[in-house]
Amino acid sequence: MSANGCGRYGTLSRVWRGMTGTLPPFEGCCNEHDLAYEQAETEADRRWADDHFRRCVVARGYRVTGVVLWLLVRVFGGLPSHTQPRRTA
């Protein structure tokens, strides 16, 4: 697995770019989150990755977006097991 932008398969990044002509200003947060999930081995690792992701997006000035994306990854983000497919923010 590798970082693919925001959203599963980078979908949010593509939509954002189509609407604005630029990548999401928090795309780096999404890529960091992808990589953290790749390394996650426990639920605690996954929770840390999700919390760090939310803080990263909020720090870039997108408070509501950060909370919404955090909720999405907490509910749909996959399991902390290298044998399970991962879903990214």
Side-chain angles (χ1 to χ4, degrees):
M1 181 182 159
S2 62
N4 63 6
C6 298
R8 191 165 194 196
Y9 310 115
T11 305
L12 177 59
S13 293
R14 284 194 300 278
V15 169
W16 188 289
R17 177 180 254 169
M19 292 174 55
T20 68
T22 64
L23 292 173
F26 46 84
E27 173 128 349
C29 302
C30 298
N31 290 331
E32 287 179 17
H33 184 252
D34 289 348
L35 296 174
Y37 258 44
E38 183 175 278
Q39 297 173 7
E41 295 181 3
T42 66
E43 175 59 28
D45 294 340
R46 180 178 165 240
R47 180 175 296 279
W48 180 90
D50 293 344
D51 290 344
H52 178 75
F53 175 56
R54 177 184 44 80
R55 288 189 303 272
C56 184
V57 174
V58 168
R60 280 155 181 75
Y62 293 85
R63 184 171 187 250
V64 173
T65 301
V67 172
V68 169
L69 291 175
W70 176 82
L71 285 169
L72 290 171
V73 296
R74 289 307 303 156
V75 173
F76 301 109
L79 301 172
S81 167
H82 292 289
T83 62
Q84 297 293 321
R86 301 241 197 280
R87 294 181 184 160
T88 57

